[in-house]
Amino acid sequence: PDTSRLGQVLFDTMGRYGDDPRLERLWCEPLPDGTYRLYSLPCITWRLAPDDVLGASVKDGQLQFTERLRSGGHGVIWFYLPENTTREQWEPWLQRFKALGCVMDRFGPDWYGADCPSGAVYEQAFRLAEEWCTAVPGALFDTPATPNGSNLVMR
């Protein structure tokens, strides 16, 4: 999209983390019908993926997420690297995910996200994530959003 048109929408993840409110601001593209297309890869918000179409309304002077209206067909996988993982250890896996067509984003020193742009890419990336967890002791991944809009559990 035309990135000059992007704006931020506030996502309140209260409920997912119990009483610990966590807020995330994500870039969204306003659409002519008053909805928004998610542009960013969420790092703490579940059940949403890039290209999803969202509803939002102004609350307390801020544009806030209200509902997911349509799936954009993307899936999201989060990766938690074991403590003391070196760049050299992670890089070959990172490149394999990219080769599948995943857009990778680093959220922190040991935390990455993958935007899988289709169901087929998501399925391949999911299998590769399982392989990664088997090969790397202590490695974890989570699937906060599948291409059909549901979510799975941490592996």
Side-chain angles (χ1 to χ4, degrees), residues 17 24 26 40-46 76 78 80 105 107 111:
Y17 299 98
E24 179 172 25
L26 298 172
S40 299
L41 179 63
C43 68
I44 62 171
T45 303
W46 283 68
V76 175
W78 291 332
Y80 309 98
D105 198 358
F107 301 138
W111 184 19

Side-chain angles (χ1 to χ4, degrees), residues 71-145:
S71 171
H74 291 230
V76 175
I77 300 176
W78 291 332
F79 301 92
Y80 309 98
L81 281 57
E83 192 173 340
N84 301 319
T85 300
T86 65
R87 181 169 178 80
E88 293 76 25
Q89 292 168 317
W90 171 240
E91 189 65 29
W93 292 98
L94 183 65
Q95 293 309 316
R96 288 178 70 185
F97 285 105
K98 287 180 178 180
L100 294 176
C102 297
V103 176
M104 303 297 289
D105 198 358
R106 184 177 183 178
F107 301 138
D110 57 354
W111 184 19
Y112 285 78
D115 171 13
C116 307
S118 70
V121 170
Y122 177 84
E123 291 301 324
Q124 293 174 53
F126 185 90
R127 286 193 297 277
L128 183 57
E130 289 181 318
E131 181 184 330
W132 173 66
C133 279
T134 301
V136 179
L140 296 172
F141 75 97
D142 212 341
T143 55

Side-chain angles (χ1 to χ4, degrees), residues 27-45:
W27 292 103
C28 294
E29 175 188 16
L31 300 176
D33 64 359
T35 61
Y36 298 84
R37 182 179 321 281
L38 184 58
Y39 184 77
S40 299
L41 179 63
C43 68
I44 62 171
T45 303

Side-chain angles (χ1 to χ4, degrees), residues 31 35-39 46-55 65 67-76 115-120 122 144-151:
L31 300 176
T35 61
Y36 298 84
R37 182 179 321 281
L38 184 58
Y39 184 77
W46 283 68
R47 294 185 182 92
L48 294 175
D51 274 358
D52 284 357
V53 175
L54 315 171
F65 168 75
E67 62 184 321
R68 181 179 156 278
L69 301 169
R70 289 188 303 281
S71 171
H74 291 230
V76 175
D115 171 13
C116 307
S118 70
Y122 177 84
T146 61
N148 66 7
S150 63
N151 67 294

